[in-house]
Amino acid sequence: MKFLLTFAATAALAVPCLPLHAQLQDNTERQLACDNRGGDGDTVRHCEIREQSYPSIGRLNVDAGPNGAISVKGSLRGDVLVRARVETHADSQAAAAIMASQVLIDGSGGNVHANGPQTGQNSSWSVSYEIFVPQTTDLTAKTRNGAVAISDVRGNLRFDVNNGAVHLKRVAGDVGGTTVNGAIQAELAGGVWEGRQLEIGTHNGAVTVSMASYYSAHIRAETGNGRIQSDFPMTLTGELHPQNLDFNLGSGGPLIHITSGNGAIRIKRSESQ
């Protein structure tokens, strides 16, 4: 395996920066929608958007079921707004609409999930979620076939993905999770991780973690079959293991642990910072 290690030409400068809580965005724009796609040739597709608000209890567990994506966005609202896209496929438009009416979504007690009718060879249903939560919320997001995106939330955050990509943006706290098949992209804000640690991994896929040029952190990066690239200067001591690097950025800080079984890892300098 060819190993690539990139050193920055100059050390990162210490630049005053706003704490993360001052950079969290108030997400209000509703983006989840039904498109104009038809069926798959043998079936007819039905799609509808549902909305329901629930009291916030400080934690949220979201399970997208066999097929469906999850997007969780922090906001300044005090409750939890669950937007769900229900999609069904059946032999006819009427049958697809009837199946959609049988898909029930429950968000009570801090648990969001859907129940629906049994699927068949020419009938199926799925639910994807766009959820707006208070910016301080403990979260668990689980998908089997679908992506997970979390932005502007701090707390105890966990994700569990089987097939799908993961995108984290402006998150903080004790954050961790894995995807079996999918890339991971994490965009960090501020100048240091605010919270216990960030621990992310994929079995098959690349991982990119981007941060400001003045960011400080303790980085541990491990890949089984891939390369590690850093846009930042690194000080390495002892024996060099190209697929297992442990080093400090800037003055160091909380742990950022990144793993990939089959895929590259990049520690990237944010272009927007």
Side-chain angles (χ1 to χ4, degrees):
M1 181 203 74
K2 184 179 179 181
F3 171 67
L4 174 62
L5 181 61
T6 302
F7 290 88
T10 58
L13 299 176
V15 178
C17 60
L18 292 173
L20 176 64
H21 69 265
Q23 300 186 47
L24 296 182
Q25 296 185 7
D26 178 19
N27 294 280
T28 59
E29 181 182 0
R30 292 164 166 81
Q31 296 179 317
L32 187 68
C34 288
D35 54 35
N36 294 321
R37 290 185 297 111
D40 58 10
D42 296 327
T43 61
V44 176
R45 172 178 177 262
H46 174 89
C47 180
E48 59 186 56
I49 300 293
R50 303 180 190 172
E51 289 191 8
Q52 180 66 50
S53 295
Y54 300 92
S56 172
I57 61 173
R59 61 172 176 80
L60 188 69
N61 301 313
V62 188
D63 189 336
N67 296 288
I70 298 172
S71 176
V72 179
K73 304 175 181 181
S75 72
L76 295 180
R77 62 188 304 130
D79 60 354
V80 175
L81 174 63
V82 177
R83 304 188 70 242
R85 181 174 64 204
V86 179
E87 296 182 74
T88 60
H89 291 79
D91 291 328
S92 68
Q93 187 63 56
I98 291 173
M99 175 171 280
S101 70
Q102 297 172 334
V103 176
L104 305 179
I105 298 169
D106 184 13
S108 60
N111 297 293
V112 178
H113 64 280
N115 293 307
Q118 186 173 0
T119 60
Q121 183 175 357
N122 291 320
S123 62
S124 63
W125 61 270
S126 65
V127 180
S128 291
Y129 298 96
E130 178 184 44
I131 303 177
F132 297 84
V133 301
Q135 290 176 338
T136 299
T137 299
D138 292 338
L139 171 69
T140 300
K142 181 177 181 179
T143 68
R144 294 166 182 80
N145 293 287
V148 167
I150 306 171
S151 61
D152 301 291
V153 182
R154 56 187 173 185
N156 190 330
L157 312 180
R158 293 289 181 268
F159 60 86
D160 181 4
V161 180
N162 190 33
N163 292 295
V166 176
H167 188 186
L168 307 175
K169 190 172 185 179
R170 293 183 301 271
V171 295
D174 187 355
V175 182
T178 60
T179 176
V180 177
N181 295 296
I184 299 178
Q185 181 179 0
E187 302 176 42
L188 310 186
V192 67
W193 181 260
E194 294 189 11
R196 180 173 177 267
Q197 67 176 10
L198 171 67
E199 187 167 15
I200 52 178
T202 175
H203 294 275
N204 296 289
V207 183
T208 300
V209 179
S210 59
M211 60 197 74
S213 60
Y214 47 82
Y215 206 86
S216 292
H218 178 195
I219 304 291
R220 186 180 301 153
E222 305 168 64
T223 176
N225 185 21
R227 63 182 186 177
I228 301 174
Q229 178 180 352
S230 174
D231 293 348
F232 297 84
M234 294 184 290
T235 301
L236 303 174
T237 59
E239 185 178 355
L240 177 63
H241 298 280
Q243 293 175 306
N244 189 337
L245 299 181
D246 194 320
F247 61 96
N248 284 332
L249 291 182
S251 58
L255 176 65
I256 296 178
H257 188 195
I258 311 159
T259 60
S260 176
N262 292 287
I265 293 174
R266 183 180 180 188
I267 315 299
K268 180 182 177 182
R269 182 182 288 107
S270 299
E271 296 178 357
S272 59
Q273 296 284 351

